[in-house]
Amino acid sequence: MFNLDEEKAVFQSLLREAVHTGADLSTLIHAQKARLVAAGLPDGEINHLIHDRHRRAAYRPQWAVQETVLHVPLADIDRARALGARRHLANNVWVAPAGADLNRFRRWLR
């Protein structure tokens, strides 16, 4: 008998290992997916596990080495501020602080 939580943990660790090693995911996914379906895990949740792992593996932060000028329209000021942007009063521009992940500010970079 399968323990559902253990099977999910095994599946996640196998996905993590396959992404790091570049192994063929299709064979791994089909084999593990069959085991998880047999254990009673809904197909939708299995697909969520797969896509979540791929999304996290594909994300790479882009760190700002210095303050980076942002082109923030008036309508987005509150959102930019919430993400950590600062306004330079002397230059009247918005900047992403040094050390910030620029992916968060991608829409305002030029």
Side-chain angles (χ1 to χ4, degrees):
M1 184 171 167
F2 291 113
N3 180 332
L4 200 54
D5 290 330
E6 286 179 17
E7 289 297 320
K8 282 173 60 175
V10 167
F11 188 56
Q12 287 176 331
S13 66
L14 288 172
L15 282 173
R16 184 173 36 253
E17 182 180 328
V19 167
H20 289 302
T21 62
D24 180 26
L25 284 176
S26 61
T27 305
L28 167 75
I29 289 170
H30 288 300
Q32 281 301 112
K33 196 171 181 179
R35 288 178 56 106
L36 291 170
V37 168
L41 189 64
D43 198 41
E45 190 171 340
I46 296 169
N47 290 334
H48 175 73
L49 290 173
I50 294 167
H51 295 296
D52 186 51
R53 175 57 57 196
H54 283 294
R55 181 184 52 77
R56 277 194 251 146
Y59 179 80
R60 300 284 185 256
Q62 183 181 1
W63 303 111
V65 177
Q66 60 188 11
E67 288 185 336
T68 305
V69 175
L70 303 172
H71 302 276
V72 182
L74 286 173
D76 290 347
I77 287 176
D78 290 334
R79 185 171 186 173
R81 185 180 293 133
L83 290 173
R86 297 184 202 146
R87 183 170 178 218
H88 275 265
L89 295 176
N91 298 333
N92 197 26
V93 294
W94 285 88
V95 295
D101 182 4
L102 291 177
N103 290 325
R104 298 172 69 188
F105 304 101
R106 183 178 307 148
R107 72 179 62 205
W108 304 302
L109 293 173
R110 287 191 191 163

